Amino acid sequence: MNSVRKVVIPVAGLGTRFLPASKAVPKEMLPVVDKPAVQYNVEEAASVGITDVLMVTGRNKEAIENHFDAMPELNANLAAKGDEARIALAAESENLAQIHFVRQGEALGLGHAVLCAKGHVGNEPFVVMLGDDLIDARDPVLEQMIAIREQHGGSVLCLMEVPQDQVYLYGCAAVEPADSPDVVRVTGLVEKPPPGEEPSNLIVIGRYLLDPKVFEVLERTEPGRGGEIQLTDALHELIDIDPQDGGGVHAVVFDGRRYDTGDKLSYLQANVMLALDNDELGGSFREWLKSYLSE
Ligand code: UTP
C-alpha cells in the first residue's frame, strides 16, 4: 500500500499559449496521438496505485468531467454494431481512478489552484501533476519521488536539465548533492529567472510530491510573478521550514522521456515522438513521415 494516496491535477488554467484551440476546449483535452493529455496523467497515477484523483477545474472544463464519466448512449450505439473493441477504448478512462472535481473560480495561479485542493487532501502528503506535462510510461518517476519522501520527509520535486539559455522560461532550482547523483537537496527556487541570473540549469517539471504544510504556506503567499499566486514561491518558503514541521525540499533529477504539451511547438513534437512509438500507428506513421520529409 502506497504512503501517498491522492493526486491533484490542476486543469483550471486559461491555456492562452494554445489559442485559438483552447478557447472552448481545455488544452488538457487536446489529443496526444489518440487520447487527451490529461488521461496520460491519470494513467500515470494509477500505475503506482494512486487512484484518488482531484481535478481542479474551472469554467469551460466540462469536457474533462465528461471524458472520465460513462457514456451510455455511445456504448449503446457501439453495442448495436457489435463493436466491442471501441466500447473498451471508450471505457478506458472511466475505470482508471475515482475522480473528484473542485472549481477554482478564477485562474489566480498554480499555487491558488493547489490551495483549492486543501479540503479534499486534508493532512496527508499528495502528488500534484500538471496536465500539460507528460512523463513517458516507460520512465516512471513517481515511485522514486515517494521513496525520497519516505527517507527525508518534506516535499519532493522533479527537476530536469535544460540548456542554460532555456532556463528563463521555467521555474529553476538551486541544489546541493544528497544521497546519489540523481537525488538533490533544493536550497533555492526562482520562477522564470532573468537570463544570467539562473542558479542552475535544472528546471522544475510538472510532478510534485507535497507535504500538506504547503497549504498553510499557500494561504499566506501573495501574488508573485505575473500577478499569480505561484506554487514556486510557496515551495521556496518550505525550504527553510524545519523538517519536523513539514518543511524541507528534495528533488529527483529526471533524465527520462518527458513531453510538454502546453505550447504549440512542444505539443507537435510530443505527438510525433509518441506516434512513432505507438504500437498500432508507429510503423505506418514512420514510413509516411520518412517519405514525406524526403520529398
Ligand atoms: P500553465 O501556466 O501551464 O497553464 O499552468 P495556463 O496558465 O493554463 O497556460 P498559459 O500559460 O495561459 O498558456 C500549469 C497547469 O496549472 C493549471 C493549468 O491548467 C495547467 O495545467 N493552472 C494554472 C490552474 O489550474 N489554475 C491556474 O490559475 C493556473
PDB file of all heavy atoms in Angstrom, residues 107-111 167-172 189-195 197 221-233:
ATOM      1  N   ALA A 107      -8.760  31.864 -12.359  1.00  0.00           N
ATOM      2  CA  ALA A 107      -7.403  31.322 -12.538  1.00  0.00           C
ATOM      3  C   ALA A 107      -6.384  32.278 -11.926  1.00  0.00           C
ATOM      4  O   ALA A 107      -5.771  33.095 -12.602  1.00  0.00           O
ATOM      5  CB  ALA A 107      -7.112  31.095 -14.023  1.00  0.00           C
ATOM      6  N   LEU A 108      -6.195  32.170 -10.607  1.00  0.00           N
ATOM      7  CA  LEU A 108      -5.312  33.098  -9.893  1.00  0.00           C
ATOM      8  C   LEU A 108      -3.887  32.578  -9.784  1.00  0.00           C
ATOM      9  O   LEU A 108      -3.065  33.164  -9.106  1.00  0.00           O
ATOM     10  CB  LEU A 108      -5.876  33.364  -8.483  1.00  0.00           C
ATOM     11  CG  LEU A 108      -7.251  34.038  -8.433  1.00  0.00           C
ATOM     12  CD1 LEU A 108      -7.713  34.195  -6.990  1.00  0.00           C
ATOM     13  CD2 LEU A 108      -7.221  35.404  -9.122  1.00  0.00           C
ATOM     14  N   GLY A 109      -3.625  31.454 -10.437  1.00  0.00           N
ATOM     15  CA  GLY A 109      -2.257  30.918 -10.416  1.00  0.00           C
ATOM     16  C   GLY A 109      -2.234  29.482  -9.918  1.00  0.00           C
ATOM     17  O   GLY A 109      -3.166  29.013  -9.273  1.00  0.00           O
ATOM     18  N   LEU A 110      -1.118  28.809 -10.243  1.00  0.00           N
ATOM     19  CA  LEU A 110      -0.991  27.392  -9.884  1.00  0.00           C
ATOM     20  C   LEU A 110      -1.029  27.191  -8.364  1.00  0.00           C
ATOM     21  O   LEU A 110      -1.631  26.240  -7.866  1.00  0.00           O
ATOM     22  CB  LEU A 110       0.318  26.846 -10.481  1.00  0.00           C
ATOM     23  CG  LEU A 110       0.653  25.402 -10.179  1.00  0.00           C
ATOM     24  CD1 LEU A 110      -0.448  24.465 -10.653  1.00  0.00           C
ATOM     25  CD2 LEU A 110       1.981  25.020 -10.829  1.00  0.00           C
ATOM     26  N   GLY A 111      -0.386  28.109  -7.629  1.00  0.00           N
ATOM     27  CA  GLY A 111      -0.404  27.994  -6.165  1.00  0.00           C
ATOM     28  C   GLY A 111      -1.827  28.053  -5.639  1.00  0.00           C
ATOM     29  O   GLY A 111      -2.233  27.262  -4.774  1.00  0.00           O
ATOM     30  N   VAL A 167      16.532  28.304 -19.525  1.00  0.00           N
ATOM     31  CA  VAL A 167      16.096  28.279 -18.130  1.00  0.00           C
ATOM     32  C   VAL A 167      15.081  29.386 -17.828  1.00  0.00           C
ATOM     33  O   VAL A 167      14.149  29.198 -17.040  1.00  0.00           O
ATOM     34  CB  VAL A 167      17.318  28.372 -17.175  1.00  0.00           C
ATOM     35  CG1 VAL A 167      16.879  28.466 -15.725  1.00  0.00           C
ATOM     36  CG2 VAL A 167      18.220  27.165 -17.369  1.00  0.00           C
ATOM     37  N   TYR A 168      15.244  30.546 -18.481  1.00  0.00           N
ATOM     38  CA  TYR A 168      14.385  31.700 -18.164  1.00  0.00           C
ATOM     39  C   TYR A 168      12.900  31.424 -18.410  1.00  0.00           C
ATOM     40  O   TYR A 168      12.034  32.157 -17.968  1.00  0.00           O
ATOM     41  CB  TYR A 168      14.847  32.933 -18.957  1.00  0.00           C
ATOM     42  CG  TYR A 168      14.440  32.888 -20.420  1.00  0.00           C
ATOM     43  CD1 TYR A 168      13.290  33.558 -20.849  1.00  0.00           C
ATOM     44  CD2 TYR A 168      15.180  32.180 -21.362  1.00  0.00           C
ATOM     45  CE1 TYR A 168      12.906  33.515 -22.180  1.00  0.00           C
ATOM     46  CE2 TYR A 168      14.798  32.126 -22.682  1.00  0.00           C
ATOM     47  CZ  TYR A 168      13.661  32.790 -23.086  1.00  0.00           C
ATOM     48  OH  TYR A 168      13.254  32.734 -24.399  1.00  0.00           O
ATOM     49  N   LEU A 169      12.606  30.341 -19.120  1.00  0.00           N
ATOM     50  CA  LEU A 169      11.210  30.009 -19.424  1.00  0.00           C
ATOM     51  C   LEU A 169      10.521  29.240 -18.292  1.00  0.00           C
ATOM     52  O   LEU A 169       9.315  29.035 -18.318  1.00  0.00           O
ATOM     53  CB  LEU A 169      11.148  29.130 -20.686  1.00  0.00           C
ATOM     54  CG  LEU A 169      11.630  29.771 -21.974  1.00  0.00           C
ATOM     55  CD1 LEU A 169      11.832  28.714 -23.056  1.00  0.00           C
ATOM     56  CD2 LEU A 169      10.606  30.813 -22.425  1.00  0.00           C
ATOM     57  N   TYR A 170      11.287  28.797 -17.293  1.00  0.00           N
ATOM     58  CA  TYR A 170      10.764  27.838 -16.305  1.00  0.00           C
ATOM     59  C   TYR A 170      11.043  28.280 -14.872  1.00  0.00           C
ATOM     60  O   TYR A 170      11.757  29.245 -14.634  1.00  0.00           O
ATOM     61  CB  TYR A 170      11.458  26.475 -16.510  1.00  0.00           C
ATOM     62  CG  TYR A 170      11.314  25.901 -17.891  1.00  0.00           C
ATOM     63  CD1 TYR A 170      12.285  26.145 -18.870  1.00  0.00           C
ATOM     64  CD2 TYR A 170      10.214  25.122 -18.224  1.00  0.00           C
ATOM     65  CE1 TYR A 170      12.155  25.612 -20.146  1.00  0.00           C
ATOM     66  CE2 TYR A 170      10.091  24.586 -19.495  1.00  0.00           C
ATOM     67  CZ  TYR A 170      11.064  24.828 -20.449  1.00  0.00           C
ATOM     68  OH  TYR A 170      10.931  24.300 -21.704  1.00  0.00           O
ATOM     69  N   GLY A 171      10.519  27.486 -13.924  1.00  0.00           N
ATOM     70  CA  GLY A 171      10.964  27.594 -12.538  1.00  0.00           C
ATOM     71  C   GLY A 171      12.300  26.885 -12.436  1.00  0.00           C
ATOM     72  O   GLY A 171      12.492  25.830 -13.041  1.00  0.00           O
ATOM     73  N   CYS A 172      13.234  27.468 -11.688  1.00  0.00           N
ATOM     74  CA  CYS A 172      14.600  26.936 -11.648  1.00  0.00           C
ATOM     75  C   CYS A 172      15.012  26.695 -10.187  1.00  0.00           C
ATOM     76  O   CYS A 172      14.607  27.442  -9.298  1.00  0.00           O
ATOM     77  CB  CYS A 172      15.530  27.958 -12.311  1.00  0.00           C
ATOM     78  SG  CYS A 172      17.254  27.506 -12.259  1.00  0.00           S
ATOM     79  N   LEU A 189      14.658  28.389  -5.001  1.00  0.00           N
ATOM     80  CA  LEU A 189      13.782  28.238  -6.174  1.00  0.00           C
ATOM     81  C   LEU A 189      13.440  29.610  -6.700  1.00  0.00           C
ATOM     82  O   LEU A 189      13.146  30.523  -5.923  1.00  0.00           O
ATOM     83  CB  LEU A 189      12.469  27.542  -5.775  1.00  0.00           C
ATOM     84  CG  LEU A 189      12.532  26.039  -5.543  1.00  0.00           C
ATOM     85  CD1 LEU A 189      11.275  25.583  -4.819  1.00  0.00           C
ATOM     86  CD2 LEU A 189      12.662  25.302  -6.874  1.00  0.00           C
ATOM     87  N   VAL A 190      13.468  29.752  -8.008  1.00  0.00           N
ATOM     88  CA  VAL A 190      13.068  31.039  -8.571  1.00  0.00           C
ATOM     89  C   VAL A 190      12.260  30.789  -9.843  1.00  0.00           C
ATOM     90  O   VAL A 190      12.608  29.940 -10.665  1.00  0.00           O
ATOM     91  CB  VAL A 190      14.295  31.975  -8.782  1.00  0.00           C
ATOM     92  CG1 VAL A 190      15.449  31.258  -9.396  1.00  0.00           C
ATOM     93  CG2 VAL A 190      13.934  33.192  -9.596  1.00  0.00           C
ATOM     94  N   GLU A 191      11.142  31.502  -9.957  1.00  0.00           N
ATOM     95  CA  GLU A 191      10.264  31.319 -11.115  1.00  0.00           C
ATOM     96  C   GLU A 191      10.771  32.186 -12.263  1.00  0.00           C
ATOM     97  O   GLU A 191      10.952  33.391 -12.124  1.00  0.00           O
ATOM     98  CB  GLU A 191       8.824  31.708 -10.713  1.00  0.00           C
ATOM     99  CG  GLU A 191       7.744  31.420 -11.740  1.00  0.00           C
ATOM    100  CD  GLU A 191       7.621  29.950 -12.149  1.00  0.00           C
ATOM    101  OE1 GLU A 191       7.795  29.059 -11.306  1.00  0.00           O
ATOM    102  OE2 GLU A 191       7.351  29.708 -13.341  1.00  0.00           O
ATOM    103  N   LYS A 192      11.015  31.574 -13.410  1.00  0.00           N
ATOM    104  CA  LYS A 192      11.468  32.265 -14.619  1.00  0.00           C
ATOM    105  C   LYS A 192      12.557  33.323 -14.343  1.00  0.00           C
ATOM    106  O   LYS A 192      12.332  34.525 -14.471  1.00  0.00           O
ATOM    107  CB  LYS A 192      10.273  32.900 -15.337  1.00  0.00           C
ATOM    108  CG  LYS A 192       9.207  31.863 -15.703  1.00  0.00           C
ATOM    109  CD  LYS A 192       8.149  32.402 -16.649  1.00  0.00           C
ATOM    110  CE  LYS A 192       7.203  31.330 -17.119  1.00  0.00           C
ATOM    111  NZ  LYS A 192       6.326  30.728 -16.139  1.00  0.00           N
ATOM    112  N   PRO A 193      13.748  32.869 -13.947  1.00  0.00           N
ATOM    113  CA  PRO A 193      14.830  33.834 -13.643  1.00  0.00           C
ATOM    114  C   PRO A 193      15.280  34.586 -14.895  1.00  0.00           C
ATOM    115  O   PRO A 193      15.341  33.986 -15.975  1.00  0.00           O
ATOM    116  CB  PRO A 193      15.958  32.933 -13.126  1.00  0.00           C
ATOM    117  CG  PRO A 193      15.681  31.585 -13.700  1.00  0.00           C
ATOM    118  CD  PRO A 193      14.190  31.464 -13.853  1.00  0.00           C
ATOM    119  N   PRO A 194      15.607  35.878 -14.772  1.00  0.00           N
ATOM    120  CA  PRO A 194      16.098  36.614 -15.935  1.00  0.00           C
ATOM    121  C   PRO A 194      17.402  35.972 -16.423  1.00  0.00           C
ATOM    122  O   PRO A 194      18.184  35.474 -15.598  1.00  0.00           O
ATOM    123  CB  PRO A 194      16.383  38.014 -15.386  1.00  0.00           C
ATOM    124  CG  PRO A 194      15.714  38.089 -14.063  1.00  0.00           C
ATOM    125  CD  PRO A 194      15.523  36.693 -13.560  1.00  0.00           C
ATOM    126  N   PRO A 195      17.636  35.969 -17.766  1.00  0.00           N
ATOM    127  CA  PRO A 195      18.866  35.374 -18.297  1.00  0.00           C
ATOM    128  C   PRO A 195      20.083  35.932 -17.563  1.00  0.00           C
ATOM    129  O   PRO A 195      20.167  37.128 -17.299  1.00  0.00           O
ATOM    130  CB  PRO A 195      18.857  35.794 -19.773  1.00  0.00           C
ATOM    131  CG  PRO A 195      17.411  36.013 -20.091  1.00  0.00           C
ATOM    132  CD  PRO A 195      16.768  36.508 -18.821  1.00  0.00           C
ATOM    133  N   GLU A 197      20.808  35.184 -14.495  1.00  0.00           N
ATOM    134  CA  GLU A 197      20.615  35.086 -13.038  1.00  0.00           C
ATOM    135  C   GLU A 197      20.148  33.703 -12.612  1.00  0.00           C
ATOM    136  O   GLU A 197      19.683  33.511 -11.492  1.00  0.00           O
ATOM    137  CB  GLU A 197      19.602  36.144 -12.573  1.00  0.00           C
ATOM    138  CG  GLU A 197      20.155  37.545 -12.671  1.00  0.00           C
ATOM    139  CD  GLU A 197      19.143  38.616 -12.280  1.00  0.00           C
ATOM    140  OE1 GLU A 197      18.270  38.327 -11.437  1.00  0.00           O
ATOM    141  OE2 GLU A 197      19.232  39.714 -12.852  1.00  0.00           O
ATOM    142  N   THR A 221       0.650  33.139   0.887  1.00  0.00           N
ATOM    143  CA  THR A 221       1.502  33.514  -0.256  1.00  0.00           C
ATOM    144  C   THR A 221       0.822  34.615  -1.085  1.00  0.00           C
ATOM    145  O   THR A 221      -0.305  34.459  -1.528  1.00  0.00           O
ATOM    146  CB  THR A 221       1.795  32.278  -1.144  1.00  0.00           C
ATOM    147  OG1 THR A 221       2.431  31.286  -0.342  1.00  0.00           O
ATOM    148  CG2 THR A 221       2.703  32.623  -2.314  1.00  0.00           C
ATOM    149  N   GLU A 222       1.520  35.712  -1.230  1.00  0.00           N
ATOM    150  CA  GLU A 222       0.989  36.843  -2.006  1.00  0.00           C
ATOM    151  C   GLU A 222       1.190  36.577  -3.496  1.00  0.00           C
ATOM    152  O   GLU A 222       2.095  35.833  -3.866  1.00  0.00           O
ATOM    153  CB  GLU A 222       1.770  38.121  -1.654  1.00  0.00           C
ATOM    154  CG  GLU A 222       1.688  38.556  -0.207  1.00  0.00           C
ATOM    155  CD  GLU A 222       0.349  39.185   0.114  1.00  0.00           C
ATOM    156  OE1 GLU A 222      -0.314  39.688  -0.819  1.00  0.00           O
ATOM    157  OE2 GLU A 222      -0.039  39.142   1.302  1.00  0.00           O
ATOM    158  N   PRO A 223       0.380  37.207  -4.359  1.00  0.00           N
ATOM    159  CA  PRO A 223       0.634  37.068  -5.794  1.00  0.00           C
ATOM    160  C   PRO A 223       2.071  37.463  -6.111  1.00  0.00           C
ATOM    161  O   PRO A 223       2.594  38.427  -5.564  1.00  0.00           O
ATOM    162  CB  PRO A 223      -0.357  38.053  -6.433  1.00  0.00           C
ATOM    163  CG  PRO A 223      -1.443  38.205  -5.415  1.00  0.00           C
ATOM    164  CD  PRO A 223      -0.776  38.063  -4.065  1.00  0.00           C
ATOM    165  N   GLY A 224       2.721  36.683  -6.972  1.00  0.00           N
ATOM    166  CA  GLY A 224       4.114  36.950  -7.332  1.00  0.00           C
ATOM    167  C   GLY A 224       4.217  37.276  -8.801  1.00  0.00           C
ATOM    168  O   GLY A 224       3.431  38.062  -9.348  1.00  0.00           O
ATOM    169  N   ARG A 225       5.129  36.599  -9.486  1.00  0.00           N
ATOM    170  CA  ARG A 225       5.377  36.848 -10.905  1.00  0.00           C
ATOM    171  C   ARG A 225       4.083  36.764 -11.709  1.00  0.00           C
ATOM    172  O   ARG A 225       3.295  35.847 -11.519  1.00  0.00           O
ATOM    173  CB  ARG A 225       6.374  35.799 -11.400  1.00  0.00           C
ATOM    174  CG  ARG A 225       7.244  36.332 -12.467  1.00  0.00           C
ATOM    175  CD  ARG A 225       8.257  35.328 -12.937  1.00  0.00           C
ATOM    176  NE  ARG A 225       9.085  35.959 -13.941  1.00  0.00           N
ATOM    177  CZ  ARG A 225       8.650  36.260 -15.153  1.00  0.00           C
ATOM    178  NH1 ARG A 225       7.436  35.952 -15.521  1.00  0.00           N
ATOM    179  NH2 ARG A 225       9.452  36.876 -16.018  1.00  0.00           N
ATOM    180  N   GLY A 226       3.864  37.750 -12.581  1.00  0.00           N
ATOM    181  CA  GLY A 226       2.671  37.766 -13.432  1.00  0.00           C
ATOM    182  C   GLY A 226       1.384  38.001 -12.645  1.00  0.00           C
ATOM    183  O   GLY A 226       0.287  37.763 -13.152  1.00  0.00           O
ATOM    184  N   GLY A 227       1.504  38.433 -11.378  1.00  0.00           N
ATOM    185  CA  GLY A 227       0.308  38.687 -10.568  1.00  0.00           C
ATOM    186  C   GLY A 227      -0.378  37.404 -10.127  1.00  0.00           C
ATOM    187  O   GLY A 227      -1.491  37.427  -9.605  1.00  0.00           O
ATOM    188  N   GLU A 228       0.286  36.244 -10.326  1.00  0.00           N
ATOM    189  CA  GLU A 228      -0.327  34.964  -9.967  1.00  0.00           C
ATOM    190  C   GLU A 228       0.223  34.445  -8.638  1.00  0.00           C
ATOM    191  O   GLU A 228       1.378  34.719  -8.298  1.00  0.00           O
ATOM    192  CB  GLU A 228      -0.037  33.920 -11.056  1.00  0.00           C
ATOM    193  CG  GLU A 228      -0.650  34.275 -12.391  1.00  0.00           C
ATOM    194  CD  GLU A 228      -0.640  33.094 -13.369  1.00  0.00           C
ATOM    195  OE1 GLU A 228       0.089  32.112 -13.126  1.00  0.00           O
ATOM    196  OE2 GLU A 228      -1.374  33.173 -14.367  1.00  0.00           O
ATOM    197  N   ILE A 229      -0.593  33.686  -7.918  1.00  0.00           N
ATOM    198  CA  ILE A 229      -0.108  33.031  -6.701  1.00  0.00           C
ATOM    199  C   ILE A 229       0.703  31.825  -7.158  1.00  0.00           C
ATOM    200  O   ILE A 229       0.163  30.878  -7.729  1.00  0.00           O
ATOM    201  CB  ILE A 229      -1.276  32.662  -5.769  1.00  0.00           C
ATOM    202  CG1 ILE A 229      -1.986  33.958  -5.357  1.00  0.00           C
ATOM    203  CG2 ILE A 229      -0.773  31.882  -4.552  1.00  0.00           C
ATOM    204  CD1 ILE A 229      -3.194  33.784  -4.496  1.00  0.00           C
ATOM    205  N   GLN A 230       2.003  31.926  -6.971  1.00  0.00           N
ATOM    206  CA  GLN A 230       2.934  30.951  -7.558  1.00  0.00           C
ATOM    207  C   GLN A 230       3.222  29.812  -6.587  1.00  0.00           C
ATOM    208  O   GLN A 230       3.594  30.057  -5.433  1.00  0.00           O
ATOM    209  CB  GLN A 230       4.257  31.643  -7.913  1.00  0.00           C
ATOM    210  CG  GLN A 230       4.147  32.734  -8.963  1.00  0.00           C
ATOM    211  CD  GLN A 230       4.003  32.164 -10.370  1.00  0.00           C
ATOM    212  OE1 GLN A 230       4.062  30.955 -10.593  1.00  0.00           O
ATOM    213  NE2 GLN A 230       3.798  33.061 -11.335  1.00  0.00           N
ATOM    214  N   LEU A 231       3.090  28.593  -7.076  1.00  0.00           N
ATOM    215  CA  LEU A 231       3.471  27.434  -6.260  1.00  0.00           C
ATOM    216  C   LEU A 231       4.956  27.503  -5.920  1.00  0.00           C
ATOM    217  O   LEU A 231       5.380  27.177  -4.820  1.00  0.00           O
ATOM    218  CB  LEU A 231       3.146  26.133  -7.027  1.00  0.00           C
ATOM    219  CG  LEU A 231       3.464  24.836  -6.295  1.00  0.00           C
ATOM    220  CD1 LEU A 231       2.684  24.714  -4.994  1.00  0.00           C
ATOM    221  CD2 LEU A 231       3.179  23.624  -7.183  1.00  0.00           C
ATOM    222  N   THR A 232       5.758  27.973  -6.885  1.00  0.00           N
ATOM    223  CA  THR A 232       7.209  28.068  -6.662  1.00  0.00           C
ATOM    224  C   THR A 232       7.522  28.923  -5.429  1.00  0.00           C
ATOM    225  O   THR A 232       8.421  28.590  -4.659  1.00  0.00           O
ATOM    226  CB  THR A 232       7.901  28.701  -7.901  1.00  0.00           C
ATOM    227  OG1 THR A 232       7.426  28.019  -9.059  1.00  0.00           O
ATOM    228  CG2 THR A 232       9.403  28.580  -7.838  1.00  0.00           C
ATOM    229  N   ASP A 233       6.788  30.018  -5.236  1.00  0.00           N
ATOM    230  CA  ASP A 233       7.066  30.887  -4.080  1.00  0.00           C
ATOM    231  C   ASP A 233       6.791  30.146  -2.772  1.00  0.00           C
ATOM    232  O   ASP A 233       7.535  30.269  -1.798  1.00  0.00           O
ATOM    233  CB  ASP A 233       6.203  32.164  -4.151  1.00  0.00           C
ATOM    234  CG  ASP A 233       6.628  33.058  -5.317  1.00  0.00           C
ATOM    235  OD1 ASP A 233       7.754  32.870  -5.824  1.00  0.00           O
ATOM    236  OD2 ASP A 233       5.824  33.916  -5.726  1.00  0.00           O
TER     237      ASP A 233
END
